Amino acid sequence: GAVVSQHPSRVICKSGTSVKIECRSLDFQATTMFWYRQFPKQSLMLMATSNEGSKATYEQGVEKDKFLINHASLTLSTLTVTSAHPEDSSFYICSASGGKDTQYFGPGTRLTVL
Amino acid sequence: KQEVTQIPAALSVPEGENLVLNCSFTDSAIYNLQWFRQDPGKGLTSLLLIQSSQREQTSGRLNASLDKSSGRSTLYIAASQPGDSATYLCAVRGNTPLVFGKGTRLSVIA
């Protein structure tokens, strides 16, 4: 089956620093990748959708200058949380789609901002 | 805007019981509905995917049904086991990426 990896799985950083999270589709080409955020005991909320080679589409309320998304190849998308603050601490999950209906999810990245 | 609601928010049952988790969605124009399992601090495991043209899907002790016209789905778990303890998420796919409910936290007590 389709496999999606995320790196790192867990990151702790100081307030004001930037953190980059990678999402890779290991055995298929992902024309579209999605980034979700999940706060404790809450559901996954879509942050943005990115198509390879084009700018990401952000959901309402998500700051595009704070959450930089790059989808430079068909197997890699990155999410950079710039100038992270404690309120950005969350579980970030990516998913990838090869053009059909199914989204394949990564294992998630736990971000803790001190 | 699609909204997905899951009831109950939490459920605790003794081992061996059969149980039903409920999911409802506001916009019936969906392509498919998916049930996921999420263990604490972990990612998502896809359990069942039902296309909009289908009424149900089965996998082992799991059976998911879909009534698109009424905007409802159920996940039936037979003969529950402690290993089934997790959060179960329902998600629907329409013209947007998957929209998730808040999940049902299931505890199966040995």
Side-chain angles (χ1 to χ4, degrees):
Chain A
V3 179
V4 176
S5 70
Q6 278 185 244
H7 179 79
S9 59
R10 184 181 295 268
V11 57
I12 301 172
C13 69
K14 293 182 178 180
S15 183
T17 60
S18 294
V19 175
K20 180 184 285 188
I21 302 170
E22 292 185 350
C23 176
R24 293 181 184 272
S25 57
L26 299 185
D27 52 2
F28 69 101
Q29 293 187 325
T31 53
T32 306
M33 285 189 172
F34 309 90
W35 287 95
Y36 290 82
R37 179 169 54 183
Q38 184 181 34
F39 292 107
K41 297 187 178 180
Q42 297 296 312
S43 185
L44 279 74
M45 298 299 295
L46 181 67
M47 299 175 66
T49 301
S50 72
N51 292 297
E52 185 266 337
S54 61
K55 290 184 178 180
T57 301
Y58 291 80
E59 295 298 303
Q60 191 174 8
V62 178
E63 300 175 58
K64 62 179 181 180
D65 294 331
K66 181 171 182 62
F67 298 99
L68 302 179
I69 292 173
N70 183 281
H71 190 169
S73 78
L74 286 171
T75 59
L76 174 64
S77 175
T78 60
L79 168 67
T80 301
V81 183
T82 62
S83 186
H85 291 284
E87 58 265 30
D88 298 323
S89 298
S90 187
F91 193 54
Y92 292 86
I93 303 179
C94 74
S95 71
S97 173
K100 297 183 179 180
D101 291 340
T102 304
Q103 292 177 224
Y104 299 96
F105 285 82
T109 296
R110 172 74 59 193
L111 171 64
T112 302
V113 185
L114 302 176
Chain B
K1 180 181 177 183
Q2 180 73 271
E3 293 183 3
V4 180
T5 303
Q6 290 187 245
I7 295 173
L11 181 64
S12 183
V13 300
E15 181 178 8
E17 268 202 13
N18 303 325
L19 57 102
V20 175
L21 308 181
N22 297 290
C23 172
S24 62
F25 46 95
T26 55
D27 186 351
S28 61
I30 64 170
Y31 296 147
N32 58 54
L33 181 145
Q34 205 161 352
W35 283 93
F36 294 87
R37 169 184 172 138
Q38 185 177 31
D39 292 286
K42 302 294 184 181
L44 305 179
T45 299
S46 179
L47 298 174
L48 290 165
L49 183 150
I50 310 176
Q51 299 293 349
S52 62
S53 59
Q54 298 174 322
R55 297 290 298 226
E56 66 177 345
Q57 282 285 334
T58 298
S59 175
R61 293 182 294 108
L62 306 179
N63 176 276
S65 68
L66 172 64
D67 185 341
K68 197 175 80 163
S69 61
S70 68
R72 296 179 186 276
S73 175
T74 61
L75 178 66
Y76 175 83
I77 301 177
S80 58
Q81 303 171 357
D84 295 331
S85 299
T87 295
Y88 291 80
L89 296 167
C90 168
V92 297
R93 176 79 185 268
N95 286 324
T96 61
L98 284 170
V99 177
F100 286 81
K102 290 187 177 181
T104 295
R105 294 189 303 280
L106 173 64
S107 296
V108 181
I109 311 301

